[in-house]
Amino acid sequence: PMRIGFVGLGAMGLTMAVRLVEAGLEVAGLDLKSAALDALTAAGGVAAGSATDAARDADLLVLMVVNAAQAREVLFAEGALD
C-alpha cells in the first residue's frame, strides 16, 4: 500500500491521518504531543520519531503545520527532504 508521512497531528491533522489509515494506507505520523501519536497508533498508524523518520520511504509527505516557518523547519532543518 501507499506509505504516507504525516507531520502535524493537531486538530485537523490527526483526523486526516486517521482517515488515511482507515482507507488502508500506511501512515507514519509525527507530532510534539504524545497523546496525538498515541491516538494515531491506536488507529493503526505508526509514530515516527523524527521528521526524517516520517518521510523515509514515503510516497507522499503531508505537512499540517501552523505556518511557512514551521514547514521550512520540518523540511530543511529537521531533514525531511533528505
Side-chain angles (χ1 to χ4, degrees), residues 36-54:
L37 296 172
D38 291 345
L40 178 64
T41 57
V46 176
S50 68
T52 303
D53 289 342

Side-chain angles (χ1 to χ4, degrees), residues 5 11 14-15 18 26 29-30 34 40-41 45 52 59 61 73 76:
L14 179 59
T15 301
V18 168
E26 292 180 11
L30 177 67
S34 61
L40 178 64
T41 57
T52 303
D59 298 298
L61 178 63
E73 178 76 16
F76 302 107

Side-chain angles (χ1 to χ4, degrees), residues 1-2 4 6 17-19 23 25 31-32 34 37 46 50-55 57 59 61-62 65 72 75:
M2 180 179 264
I4 299 176
F6 208 107
V18 168
R19 295 286 185 262
L25 304 173
D31 198 86
L32 297 176
S34 61
L37 296 172
V46 176
S50 68
T52 303
D53 289 342
D57 298 323
D59 298 298
L61 178 63
V62 177
V65 296
R72 281 191 298 276
L75 294 173

